[in-house]
Amino acid sequence: MYNFNNLTNYLDSLVSNGYTSSGDCVIFHHGKEVYRHKTGYKNIDTKEKIIGDETYFIYSCSKPITCAVALHAYEEGYFLLNDPVGKFLPEFYDCKVRKIMPDGSEELVPLTKPIRIQNLFSMSAGLTYDIENPVIKEVIQKYEGNPSTREVIRAIAKMPLIFEPGANFEYSLCHDVLACLVEVAVGMPFYEYAKKVIFDPLEMKETSYRANEHLLNKLNGLYLRSWEDGTLNLLPKNNYFVFGNNYVSGGAGLLMSICD
């Protein structure tokens, strides 16, 4: 009924041509698995092949799952979408907006309206994805590489907004802030709440916002392909968007197996 030969050949070619170290693809149709193909290596140097139980940082694919968790909290009545973010994270009442003045200079001016929770969902809060910002680096250093989610989000609130809430769209740290807001609203660490309302009911046993030892031991090799010569270079087993072991990144922090 199904012919996936072209897909299999394509996945194999990505490995054989050096574009990626491995590939693992599964397809479900009407709730039944109709295709699974594993190809390539967990570690190129040792030629250790993947076996299908590896875990992966899914980076920005974390975002829709974070939103699903947050919508569950909304349905349970913890907040309204029109609530100001500052109701739960008061520092966001004091945000400033960067404005270009008629003479070309920049000024930081107060908000004319608050950031609302719906702006976090839709990435229309005016935030950016500047994770190299000095205020973030400062809080990481202050807590010796292990700041809490709450402390990092307080730092993010100090970063000037690039537009008034709701005025535009900007791919940003909004979903990191959203995860923190849910944590405060429900009175439970976000990763625990996600486990309770999403991961456990769906029997997602190898999915977590916290990179525990078990999941990290199964982590597939992280490789970065060089733009200059096309070589694949092995990276450390850490996530650039997770600012320490005590930080939960709603926007990029999930570790997951392909089966989950």
Side-chain angles (χ1 to χ4, degrees):
M1 182 179 179
Y2 303 101
N3 186 332
F4 292 108
N5 290 341
N6 287 342
L7 177 56
T8 298
N9 293 336
Y10 173 70
L11 293 171
D12 287 340
S13 72
L14 292 177
V15 174
S16 62
N17 291 329
Y19 286 106
T20 186
S21 60
S22 64
D24 191 353
C25 180
V26 60
I27 297 174
F28 282 79
H29 186 234
H30 295 312
K32 294 183 179 180
E33 183 180 315
V34 296
Y35 178 81
R36 179 76 182 273
H37 182 60
K38 303 177 287 290
T39 182
Y41 305 98
K42 186 172 183 177
N43 187 295
I44 295 175
D45 295 330
T46 64
K47 300 300 181 186
E48 178 186 358
K49 292 187 176 182
I50 64 168
I51 60 175
D53 72 342
E54 291 78 19
T55 57
Y56 302 84
F57 286 119
I58 67 169
Y59 297 104
S60 281
C61 290
S62 306
K63 291 178 171 68
I65 298 176
T66 292
C67 287
V69 175
L71 286 171
H72 195 288
Y74 161 69
E75 289 178 341
E76 290 190 325
Y78 285 105
F79 55 78
L80 298 175
L81 296 181
N82 204 41
D83 281 341
V85 172
K87 179 179 178 180
F88 302 92
L89 308 174
E91 60 270 23
F92 282 90
Y93 278 132
D94 298 324
C95 286
K96 299 293 190 295
V97 183
R98 181 179 287 113
K99 292 284 187 180
I100 305 298
M101 308 310 290
D103 62 359
S105 63
E106 290 187 359
E107 285 190 15
L108 299 182
V109 300
L111 292 175
T112 61
K113 56 183 177 181
I115 303 172
R116 301 192 184 275
I117 295 176
Q118 60 186 325
N119 297 134
L120 297 180
F121 277 99
S122 61
M123 290 202 176
S124 58
L127 298 173
T128 69
Y129 231 128
D130 182 12
I131 62 175
E132 293 291 332
N133 193 284
V135 298
I136 294 179
K137 288 186 173 295
E138 181 180 342
V139 75
I140 293 172
Q141 183 177 14
K142 178 181 177 181
Y143 290 94
E144 299 179 343
N146 275 308
S148 68
T149 304
R150 191 70 189 88
E151 291 302 328
V152 173
I153 299 308
R154 284 194 181 98
I156 289 173
K158 298 176 183 177
M159 296 162 58
L161 305 182
I162 59 173
F163 51 77
E164 285 279 349
N168 212 328
F169 167 89
E170 179 72 17
Y171 197 72
S172 66
L173 288 162
C174 276
H175 292 165
D176 284 53
V177 177
L178 180 62
C180 183
L181 183 143
V182 171
E183 183 170 295
V184 172
V186 305
M188 180 187 299
F190 184 76
Y191 70 93
E192 290 184 5
Y193 185 69
K195 185 175 185 296
K196 175 185 175 183
V197 302
I198 301 290
F199 304 149
D200 282 354
L202 294 178
E203 297 184 359
M204 298 168 70
K205 298 178 181 179
E206 296 191 315
T207 299
S208 180
Y209 290 92
R210 298 295 292 270
N212 58 55
E213 186 176 356
H214 169 71
L215 295 179
L216 281 177
N217 285 340
K218 299 176 71 175
L219 185 68
N220 197 27
L222 290 168
Y223 287 87
L224 181 65
R225 189 167 186 263
S226 169
W227 288 102
E228 296 177 356
D229 58 13
T231 57
L232 295 173
N233 302 295
L234 186 64
L235 299 176
K237 286 187 175 183
N238 64 290
N239 186 331
Y240 176 69
F241 297 92
V242 178
F243 312 122
N245 295 330
N246 293 324
Y247 182 76
V248 171
S249 169
L254 268 177
L255 192 62
M256 178 186 284
S257 69
I258 192 170
C259 293
D260 277 6

